[in-house]
Amino acid sequence: MPPSDQTQSPPKKKEKGFAWGAAVWTAIGAGLAFRALYHPHRAVVERGFAARCTGDQGCTSPMLIQPEGGTTNVFALTSGTVVIAKSGLTLISDREPVMIGYGPSVGQLLVASGAAVGIGTPLAVMRAVELTVTEIVRASNGAVTFRSIEPASWLASRGLTIAAKGNVKGALWCTQGRKIVLPQKVAACGTRLPTPGAALLLPVSVTME
């Protein structure tokens, strides 16, 4: 038979499929790298210490945080909306029905009133911080009341600290991390502890002396 005029084409190369496994691990690695590089400040101040616990000088005396030095940056303890007044700065949380008060007065503002901020956002530079946590209680009839929450236990249960740098336990009862011994005189003031719920990230042990 005469040779055929048809020529055989070279075999096609097998197309490689998309490497889903490699893509997933790359995404996970990128996420871990971002998390390692980005650490929002989960603290009230950059550097400082608790000089007074809530109720130590009467039921109306708030927790007092003093900076190490003249002034310190103050950070958002939750995401929410900033409200600024003469008496200080208030952060209304969008995660739970609470208001965080930073008093008694603001030195240098770093955000505007009405600004939406995330946790760790620098809010102001202050000489001292009187920290308060207030629960917003809405009744079925629409009435709104406010109840004070003990700040140290609220901070601890949310994985927050007093200072981002140099934060150490002191002699005061409100500086003992997640194991708090509440003085009887403070408990008698009617200050509430944080309510367990979706926002309660870490267990807190609170006992009375």
Side-chain angles (χ1 to χ4, degrees):
M1 294 180 62
S4 173
D5 294 336
Q6 295 180 352
T7 59
Q8 293 183 348
S9 58
K12 294 182 178 180
K13 293 183 179 180
K14 186 178 180 181
E15 295 182 359
K16 294 183 179 180
F18 185 75
W20 286 105
V24 169
W25 283 111
T26 300
I28 292 174
L32 292 175
F34 173 81
R35 195 173 178 185
L37 294 173
Y38 177 69
H39 291 287
H41 289 297
R42 299 183 61 86
V44 184
V45 299
E46 186 169 8
R47 288 186 178 273
F49 59 94
R52 182 183 68 214
C53 300
T54 299
D56 281 356
Q57 296 180 4
C59 291
T60 59
S61 62
M63 183 179 188
L64 176 63
I65 301 172
Q66 296 281 12
E68 292 182 356
T71 59
T72 184
N73 286 333
V74 176
F75 303 110
L77 296 173
T78 179
S79 57
T81 304
V82 175
V83 178
I84 298 169
K86 291 182 179 179
S87 58
L89 183 153
T90 300
L91 176 59
I92 303 175
S93 175
D94 60 10
R95 295 187 174 189
E96 55 181 308
V98 298
M99 300 186 302
I100 314 299
Y102 306 78
S105 61
V106 178
Q108 177 186 354
L109 286 171
L110 302 178
V111 293
S113 186
V117 298
I119 186 169
T121 301
L123 301 178
V125 178
M126 301 178 67
R127 293 184 179 276
V129 181
E130 290 185 343
L131 184 70
T132 59
V133 180
T134 305
E135 182 182 12
I136 305 170
V137 183
R138 300 183 185 275
S140 57
N141 62 359
V144 178
T145 56
F146 302 96
R147 297 186 296 200
S148 296
I149 297 177
E150 197 285 302
S153 57
W154 186 87
L155 290 173
S157 64
R158 271 68 180 169
L160 303 163
T161 60
I162 292 172
K165 300 177 182 178
N167 190 68
V168 296
K169 291 183 179 180
L172 299 178
W173 62 264
C174 59
T175 63
Q176 303 307 307
R178 301 201 306 271
K179 293 184 178 180
I180 298 172
V181 180
L182 195 68
Q184 292 184 3
K185 65 177 183 179
V186 177
C189 292
T191 301
R192 295 173 59 85
L193 297 175
T195 303
L200 196 62
L201 302 178
L202 297 171
V204 176
S205 172
V206 182
T207 56
M208 187 179 297
E209 66 179 9

